[in-house]
Amino acid sequence: MTGAGTRFDLLVRGGLVVDGTGRPARPADVGVSGGRLTVLPPGSSSGSGSGSSPGSAAGAAEVLDARGRVVSPGFVDVHTHSDGVALLGPAGDGDRPGDGSGNGSRDGSGRELVRASVLQGVTTEICGNCGSSLFPALPERLAAMRAETRITFGGDVGAYADFAGFAAAHAGVPRANHLASLVGHGTLRAGVLGPVDRPARPGELRAMCALLDASLTQGAAGLSTGLIYTPGSYAGTAEVVALAEVAARHGKPYVTHLRDEMSRVEEALEEAVEISRRSGAALHVSHHKTAGRYAWGRTERTLPRLAELRAGGMDVTCDVYPYTAGSTALAAMLPPWANDGGLRALTARLGDPAQRDRMRRAISEGVPGWENTVGNGGWDRISVACAPRHPRAEGATIADLAAAAGADPLDVAADLLVAEDGEVTIISHSMIEEDVRRVLAAPYAMIGSDGVPKPGGRPHPRWAGTFPRVLGRYVRELGLLGLEEAVHKMTGMAAARFGLSGRGVIRDGAHADLVVFDPAAVADRATFTEPLLPPAGVDAVVVGGAVVVRDGEETGARPGRVLAL
Ligand SMILES: [Zn+2]
């Protein structure tokens, strides 16, 4: 309650509150003091109605006028690859050579990359997805891991023994929003065995479980796998079950990029279900999709299966991004054996014509157990997103580059990988709109950008556009989702899944993470050619009670921190 003399640090006045639970919107004012919320009847704080008080508005240090706007909890981006971007520093281009275009600050400096997330209303990012995090590792593996993350993040972002080390590295870098991290199984595996294609020995598996246990105790959010990516893909089901049992003991979820999201997506989903059942861990399916021409329409089978599991009492959820294109590493287009030993081993193999022919055959014929993206689509659906030493290739498809060079596409891809030390990001136009809509509409699907913020190039626009795109295109324009339902997917549902207690809702005592947006104007503006353009209609963002975005611009406040869960 607000009595006379109540002073708020901040008052968000006159808006329509969508509280994140899915309940109907209602007019209310929202006060903030000490980083916590108080919900006030509309007008009670305006100073116009309640007489004696000179007005609580005057009793607030700062007021945000939210008339005509929606006030919602801050968005939780449940799926990012933003683990290292803040550690790159403001220039953020690491050892990237200049491309002469003079537009480095527009299309991908560290500062531009970091702010894209908060400008779309994200107050908490969850990184460490798809089996890849910046920790943990045995001490003797840290130097090798640091060399790999230097390449994959385009700068020296480090590698850490555990979650506490990761959090300490971030503690020295002021940030606008909060960050939580999962423990990536591929990283964990490389941190014990190295990036090798063989089963873990019993002692190695015990060491992996111990490292996982320590990081979960320190506050990591759960366990993630990326079972299409090496070295995670070298693990069998039993290894993942053993690790998921550790997550289950902590009451934290098993979060998985399935072993196949294309022609064998249903089998891959059943493997995840088995892992959840045997381990007792809750299951969260990352960026659920059925990609590649042979799997288009298959969400008509996977979603009823998930609904059936939920009806049977299983704790299973998923996330989704609102685009028909994905983004990943070019190296992931090659068969698993090609990546055995890590990036250096890959580039060595790519220098051998006989090995290239073997890769070409694997792509045209398939390899059992391997999701073959190019075989399921074609090089004409793969475009180059980030290739720092070849800016002219960025935006072109591998097929176009091959045609222009009069070369075979595999050779073009191989040459590019060798010249870039194995690290090239691609965009894969692999999905159809009907599948994306079906997943978005599933009542247990939350929103995750799957953003991969890396310096330079043309990253997927989802890092800057996901949340406004859902609210603009899928709520306002297409009516696929109700406003309250969409906000719930971005806030309360996500916070409940990942244990963000006191976040994702607007209620008395909750953490003061808020977004103020215009429901009539909110829209993504980021595109594949201008991937970091800020959205329209996201007026203000509040993190921990501090206004970090006002009138669509960063204020410079840096209240964010790493969340230990
Ligand atoms: Zn993934």
Side-chain angles (χ1 to χ4, degrees):
M1 293 307 296
T2 168
T6 298
R7 283 192 68 90
F8 290 111
D9 305 325
L10 173 68
L11 190 61
V12 184
R13 197 170 56 182
L16 190 65
V17 168
V18 174
D19 70 6
T21 65
R23 281 198 293 267
R26 64 188 194 280
D29 296 343
V30 180
V32 175
S33 57
R36 301 284 178 156
L37 300 178
T38 302
V39 183
L40 306 160
S44 66
S45 54
S46 67
S48 59
S50 50
S52 61
S53 157
S56 304
E62 189 174 5
V63 175
L64 284 176
D65 180 1
R67 284 174 296 173
R69 303 291 188 264
V70 165
V71 181
S72 86
F75 302 145
V76 178
D77 187 343
V78 299
H79 193 110
T80 80
H81 296 282
S82 59
D83 311 60
V85 65
L87 304 174
L88 288 168
D93 31 29
D95 47 9
R96 175 185 173 87
D99 62 10
S101 68
N103 63 2
S105 72
R106 199 205 68 220
D107 72 355
S109 71
R111 198 188 303 279
E112 288 286 307
L113 288 167
V114 166
R115 72 178 200 141
S117 177
V118 74
L119 287 180
Q120 59 164 323
V122 172
T123 57
T124 301
E125 301 168 17
I126 300 178
C127 68
N129 276 285
C130 300
S132 175
S133 51
L134 291 182
F135 64 92
L138 297 174
E140 61 268 32
R141 296 266 174 217
L142 280 172
M145 277 182 51
R146 184 171 195 147
E148 293 256 334
T149 62
R150 184 178 179 81
I151 295 170
T152 54
F153 280 89
D156 191 9
V157 300
Y160 306 93
D162 53 19
F163 175 78
F166 169 80
H170 276 86
V173 183
R175 53 180 299 124
N177 63 5
H178 299 314
L179 180 68
S181 183
L182 299 157
V183 179
H185 157 252
T187 304
L188 177 60
R189 195 175 210 273
V192 173
L193 285 71
V196 292
D197 183 2
R198 65 169 174 81
R201 299 178 186 116
E204 291 168 335
L205 186 52
R206 279 196 299 278
M208 289 165 69
C209 287
L211 287 178
L212 173 61
D213 184 63
S215 280
L216 292 174
T217 300
Q218 291 164 358
L223 169 69
S224 83
T225 58
L227 296 177
I228 75 154
Y229 298 118
T230 59
S233 62
Y234 301 140
T237 303
E239 174 180 316
V240 184
V241 170
L243 293 164
E245 282 172 353
V246 178
R249 281 205 299 278
H250 287 266
K252 291 177 175 176
Y254 170 58
V255 179
T256 180
H257 178 150
L258 299 174
R259 205 179 284 273
D260 196 309
E261 295 177 316
M262 296 187 133
S263 57
R264 296 179 66 82
V265 61
E266 288 166 88
E267 293 90 328
L269 177 59
E270 291 311 315
E271 182 192 28
V273 170
E274 180 189 345
I275 290 165
S276 174
R277 284 214 169 112
R278 285 170 58 189
S279 67
L283 174 61
H284 181 82
V285 178
S286 296
H287 46 55
H288 183 42
K289 64 174 83 73
T290 58
R293 69 185 82 161
Y294 306 113
W296 286 340
R298 212 81 77 82
T299 52
E300 291 190 291
R301 303 234 284 267
T302 58
L303 295 173
R305 175 64 176 143
L306 290 171
E308 172 189 61
L309 290 162
R310 288 171 58 83
M314 189 167 172
D315 184 1
V316 53
T317 51
C318 71
D319 63 69
V320 59
Y321 51 80
Y323 297 87
T324 54
S327 179
T328 189
L330 179 56
M333 304 299 102
L334 302 174
W337 53 260
N339 288 287
D340 180 13
L343 292 177
R344 250 174 257 288
L346 167 68
T347 50
R349 274 184 203 104
L350 289 170
D352 176 352
Q355 297 272 14
R356 284 195 188 192
D357 283 337
R358 229 184 120 201
M359 293 176 205
R360 219 182 318 266
R361 275 199 308 281
I363 288 169
S364 69
E365 293 163 17
V367 174
W370 169 52
E371 178 186 285
N372 180 358
T373 302
V374 176
N376 278 275
W379 288 111
D380 59 330
R381 290 182 168 273
I382 309 291
S383 58
V384 177
C386 302
R389 293 167 196 155
H390 301 79
R392 286 194 180 80
E394 291 169 346
T397 68
I398 298 289
D400 287 343
L401 295 171
D408 181 83
L410 188 277
D411 289 315
V412 168
D415 289 344
L416 198 55
L417 278 167
V418 170
E420 298 280 354
D421 293 330
E423 184 59 24
V424 176
T425 308
I426 56 106
I427 286 167
S428 170
H429 296 270
S430 60
M431 289 166 261
I432 57 172
E433 177 73 18
E434 290 85 339
D435 283 318
V436 173
R437 289 190 196 181
R438 273 191 285 266
V439 182
L440 277 168
Y444 46 83
M446 52 200 81
I447 308 301
S449 70
D450 200 7
V452 188
K454 278 165 50 165
R458 293 195 175 108
H460 194 302
R462 62 198 182 184
W463 177 241
T466 287
F467 290 81
R469 184 173 172 83
V470 170
L471 294 168
R473 177 174 164 79
Y474 292 99
V475 174
R476 185 181 60 245
E477 291 174 15
L478 297 172
L480 180 73
L481 301 168
L483 177 63
E484 291 88 346
E485 182 185 15
V487 168
H488 178 53
K489 287 169 176 287
M490 300 170 173
T491 59
M493 189 192 295
R497 162 48 83 218
F498 290 95
L500 302 168
S501 63
R503 297 182 199 277
V505 290
I506 293 181
R507 64 160 185 250
D508 289 351
H511 288 282
D513 299 342
L514 300 168
V515 184
V516 179
F517 64 90
D518 181 350
V522 63
D524 59 309
R525 294 194 305 141
T527 64
F528 289 95
T529 47
E530 293 278 6
L532 291 174
L533 275 186
V538 179
D539 298 314
V541 182
V542 176
V543 174
V547 179
V548 299
V549 172
R550 188 191 295 116
D551 299 328
E553 301 280 347
E554 275 199 304
T555 62
R558 295 285 181 268
R561 56 189 175 83
V562 172
L563 301 178
L565 303 175

